[in-house]
């Protein structure tokens, strides 16, 4: 049989995805690869209460179809929470999504024609590349430092590509680097977007998982020209299995994304939306988020402390103030994928995500993304110590 794939499949590489999914599969291996939240802090009792209430008290509504943009009450609650960080929007400017990931797909579907330029951080979120690539864009990447995107480089990229469709950024605790964009850079980014008439996709699933330092206003709160599509998620503040997130953007953009969502999945699960809405109504999600922050701060400290004690000095790492990840940089020429396959997995029994996949255009082999969220304290110390010792022998 000849499978007559569309041209867009040419750039898709299923074996890379399979390899990634297999990383954590061996129970003997301590995997720092996945970006899963710590399941031990899912608020099971409260979720059990709201799912029961959704069925027992509101079952006929909660198991029925609803409008494609999401339950009105939940949209209103998302808008109210957004107002607390300076995002002024109505519930009609909110679209409930199947996780923030769906917002990346819908935004790409709405804007990208084959060959269009998308400007993004280098490195960037793998899931964004997975969402955008089927629409066959050309990526223009902007380097980052400890304050996020380099604005001089962004300006050059915009001058060279004035027809670009959008700028994609993860301003807080970026996946994969853990880096947060400073306030000054955010102001510059908005100023550049205004000047070059550019849409920004602001992807913020980790925004509320800040465990150190002062919160920085989201780009959307500085957006006076309605050019930011702000994406958020319940995955890291409640549970990713709910598959619920949101987009906040102008009425016009939300209407178009909603039309596309209708064709993709009609709507998000009414039951899950109802349960989350009841959760926000009945329980204090902010105090739950405090627990999440405390847990990840402890784990982040433990991981970085173990790295400091056991890793060779030639390996540097980022110091995130929130989120789930740190980003390791090895000496030039070091190949983290090869090292994992040949040494880290068989000898240290440790997995991470080799960094090359996070670069849209030119893969760099001397990086790795490590997550401190999923493993227990003991496993963090054991796994990182084993990796550090192995690296000391090898570098
Ligand atoms: C930067 C970034 N954006 C979006 C997502 C999508 O998350 P979800 O679809 O679970 O909301 C993730 C998940 O890991 C992420 O790291």
């Amino acid at each position: 049989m000849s499978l007559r794939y569309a041209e867009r499949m040419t750039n898709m590489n299923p074996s890379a995805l399979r390899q990634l999914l297999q990383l954590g599969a061996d129970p003997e291996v301590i995997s720092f690869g996945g970006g899963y939240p710590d399941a031990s802090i899912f608020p099971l009792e409260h979720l059990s209460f709201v799912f029961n209430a959704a069925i027992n008290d509101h079952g006929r509504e909660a198991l029925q179809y609803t409008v494609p943009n999401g339950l009105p009450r939940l949209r209103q609650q998302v808008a109210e929470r957004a107002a607390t960080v300076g995002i002024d929007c109505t519930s009609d400017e909110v679209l409930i999504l199947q996780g923030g990931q769906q917002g990346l797909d819908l935004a790409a579907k709405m804007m990208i024609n084959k060959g269009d330029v998308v400007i993004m951080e280098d490195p960037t979120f793998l899931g964004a590349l997975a969402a955008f690539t089927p629409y066959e864009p050309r990526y223009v990447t902007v380097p980052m430092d400890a304050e996020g995107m380099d604005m001089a480089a962004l300006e050059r990229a915009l001058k060279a590509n004035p027809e670009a469709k959008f700028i994609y950024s993860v301003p807080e605790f970026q996946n994969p680097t853990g880096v947060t964009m400073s306030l000054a850079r955010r102001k510059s980014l908005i100023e550049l977007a205004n000047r070059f008439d550019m849409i920004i996709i602001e992807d913020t699933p980790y925004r509320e998982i800040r465990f150190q330092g002062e919160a920085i206003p989201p780009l959307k709160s500085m957006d006076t020209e309605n050019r930011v599509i702000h994406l958020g998620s319940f995955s890291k503040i409640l549970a990713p299995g709910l598959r619920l997130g949101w987009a906040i953007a102008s009425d016009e953009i939300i209407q178009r994304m909603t039309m596309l969502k209708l064709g993709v999945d009609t709507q998000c699960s009414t039951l899950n939306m109802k349960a989350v809405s009841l959760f926000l109504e009945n329980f204090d999600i902010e105090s739950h988020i405090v627990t999440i922050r405390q847990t990840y701060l402890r784990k982040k400290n433990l991981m970085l402390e173990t790295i400091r004690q056991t890793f060779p000095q030639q390996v540097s790492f980022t110091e995130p103030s929130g989120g789930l990840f740190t980003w390791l940089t090895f000496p030039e020429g070091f190949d983290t994928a090869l090292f994992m396959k040949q040494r880290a997995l068989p000898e240290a029994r440790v997995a991470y995500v080799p960094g090359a996949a996070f670069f849209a255009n030119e893969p760099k082999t001397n990086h790795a993304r490590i997550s401190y969220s999923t493993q227990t304290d003991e496993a963090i110390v054991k796994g990182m110590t084993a990796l550090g010792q192995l690296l000391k022998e090898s570098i």
Side-chain angles (χ1 to χ4, degrees):
M1 184 178 62
S2 65
L3 278 166
R4 293 173 192 168
Y5 292 122
E7 264 175 45
R8 74 179 65 88
M9 295 310 289
T10 321
N11 298 328
M12 309 297 288
N13 179 357
S15 67
L17 180 68
R18 204 172 308 132
Q19 273 173 9
L20 202 65
L21 294 176
Q22 278 168 353
L23 286 183
D26 180 347
E28 296 292 305
V29 166
I30 299 176
S31 176
F32 300 107
Y36 286 16
D38 182 342
S40 75
I41 41 181
F42 292 162
L44 294 186
E45 256 180 58
H46 291 172
L47 284 169
S48 162
F49 176 90
V50 293
F51 271 98
N52 268 315
I55 292 188
N56 294 331
D57 305 339
H58 309 273
R60 312 234 168 255
E61 173 207 347
L63 294 165
Q64 186 56 282
Y65 284 119
T66 185
V67 284
N69 52 345
L71 281 182
R73 177 67 189 130
L74 183 60
R75 282 187 282 121
Q76 195 183 355
Q77 288 164 314
V78 168
E80 283 162 13
R81 293 192 80 238
T84 65
V85 291
I87 298 176
D88 180 18
C89 65
T90 67
S91 57
D92 286 339
E93 292 164 322
V94 176
L95 168 62
I96 304 296
L97 297 165
Q98 198 85 247
Q101 181 68 34
Q102 186 173 41
L104 300 173
D105 172 60
L106 296 181
K109 199 172 193 175
M110 177 173 67
M111 288 188 278
I112 301 174
N113 289 317
K114 184 174 181 172
D116 281 348
V117 168
V118 166
I119 300 180
M120 49 175 32
E121 288 151 350
D122 200 33
T124 191
F125 171 47
L126 205 50
L129 293 172
F132 301 160
T133 297
Y135 300 102
E136 304 176 89
R138 186 162 68 79
Y139 295 122
V140 169
T141 58
V142 178
M144 298 169 73
D145 60 23
E147 279 187 68
M149 252 192 215
D150 174 339
M151 289 299 142
L154 175 62
E155 185 169 358
R156 284 194 295 277
L158 287 166
K159 275 187 181 147
N161 301 279
E163 301 301 320
K165 280 297 170 76
F166 59 82
I167 303 166
Y168 170 69
S169 173
V170 183
E172 271 97 20
F173 326 123
Q174 194 229 25
N175 181 358
T177 60
V179 163
T180 295
M181 193 186 291
S182 67
L183 180 61
R185 297 263 176 106
R186 288 175 201 225
K187 288 181 177 163
S188 304
L189 174 51
I190 291 287
E191 191 269 313
L192 285 170
N194 288 346
R195 179 142 57 94
F196 287 88
D197 191 19
M198 205 59 54
I199 293 283
I200 300 172
I201 300 183
E202 176 185 35
D203 188 12
T204 70
Y206 308 106
R207 179 171 171 81
E208 297 181 71
I209 316 298
R210 173 180 280 281
F211 41 65
Q212 278 167 326
E214 287 289 309
I216 304 175
L219 294 165
K220 185 71 190 158
S221 72
M222 309 172 187
D223 175 24
T224 53
E225 300 188 357
N226 250 337
R227 56 177 70 259
V228 176
I229 302 177
H230 175 92
L231 301 177
S233 176
F234 286 108
S235 290
K236 308 302 185 308
I237 57 174
L238 266 183
L242 295 163
R243 303 310 305 131
L244 285 177
W246 59 87
I248 299 176
S250 69
D251 201 18
E252 185 191 319
I253 288 179
I254 290 298
Q255 280 185 34
R256 281 171 172 70
M257 287 174 72
T258 304
M259 266 164 49
L260 293 173
K261 181 171 166 70
L262 192 60
V264 175
D265 60 5
T266 319
Q267 56 160 99
C268 293
S269 150
T270 320
L271 180 63
N272 290 4
M273 288 192 280
K274 184 70 193 175
V276 168
S277 176
L278 289 171
F279 190 102
L280 297 173
E281 210 96 70
N282 288 279
F283 301 109
D284 180 8
I285 193 169
E286 310 311 327
S287 76
H288 175 59
I289 295 172
V290 170
T291 308
I292 298 175
R293 289 184 187 139
Q294 287 166 345
T295 306
Y296 292 165
L297 174 61
R298 189 190 73 239
K299 289 186 168 197
K300 184 273 292 184
N301 284 340
L302 202 56
M303 176 170 273
L304 296 197
E305 200 41 50
T306 314
I307 292 180
R308 278 189 197 96
Q309 284 172 11
T310 64
F311 272 45
Q313 296 217 322
Q314 298 94 317
V315 183
S316 63
F317 51 93
T318 56
E319 299 215 29
S321 313
L324 273 52
F325 310 107
T326 179
W327 179 245
L328 304 181
T329 302
F330 297 76
E332 208 67 42
F334 192 88
D335 184 335
T336 52
L338 202 64
F339 183 78
M340 187 162 92
K341 205 164 130 209
Q342 294 182 342
R343 310 284 312 267
L345 279 172
E347 294 176 45
R349 312 296 282 146
V350 164
Y352 47 78
V353 188
F358 299 98
F359 294 90
N361 290 334
E362 287 162 40
K364 297 200 176 95
T365 62
N366 63 323
H367 295 280
R369 189 194 73 179
I370 301 224
S371 166
Y372 38 80
S373 57
T374 323
Q375 295 292 348
T376 61
D377 294 7
E378 296 70 35
I380 290 174
V381 174
K382 185 176 168 207
M384 294 310 284
T385 303
L387 182 61
Q389 282 165 353
L390 186 63
L391 283 167
K392 266 199 177 139
E393 290 166 24
S394 319
I395 294 186

